[in-house]
Amino acid sequence: MPGDLDAIIHAPARLRIMAALAASPEGSLLEFKRLRALLGLTDGNLGAHIATLEGAGYVAVTKDFEGKRPRTRIAVTKAGRAAYRAHVAALRAILDGDDVG
């Protein structure tokens, strides 16, 4: 029996954020502005979704400066990567008809 869908990841914007982060090499950081451009979200919308993912322990947020400009970078955590993989497996099971029942 496949696992349950993860309610935190299942929201469309958060699923897209997790997909973008999971596609990057383990341990790499994506800049907030790069994620915003990739996903076409507003600063506020993206920030709120990242805060939810961070609260669940799925992403880590690093804030620093590049020269004199503030920079926010996001990375998927080990727990986040595992939760994302489990969520994708649950979605695949549904789509493949393995979760009928």
Side-chain angles (χ1 to χ4, degrees):
M1 179 66 108
D4 292 330
L5 295 174
D6 186 311
I8 291 174
I9 294 175
H10 195 64
R14 290 193 292 269
L15 179 58
R16 293 172 60 216
I17 292 166
M18 291 299 291
L21 293 171
S24 60
E26 194 165 338
S28 67
L29 300 167
L30 240 77
E31 286 196 37
F32 183 93
K33 62 184 178 180
R34 173 76 176 130
L35 218 79
R36 182 187 62 209
L38 279 172
L39 303 176
L41 298 172
T42 64
D43 284 357
N45 198 308
L46 179 57
H49 287 298
I50 287 172
T52 298
L53 291 167
E54 183 180 29
Y58 291 170
V59 302
V61 177
T62 303
K63 295 181 181 240
D64 60 8
F65 286 88
E66 185 174 39
K68 293 185 178 186
R69 295 180 186 221
R71 176 174 62 176
T72 301
R73 296 181 297 168
I74 301 97
V76 66
T77 63
K78 188 175 181 178
R81 196 173 291 277
Y84 174 73
R85 286 182 183 141
H87 185 76
V88 169
L91 284 173
R92 284 196 176 115
I94 292 167
L95 294 173
D96 292 342
D98 296 340
D99 195 32
V100 177

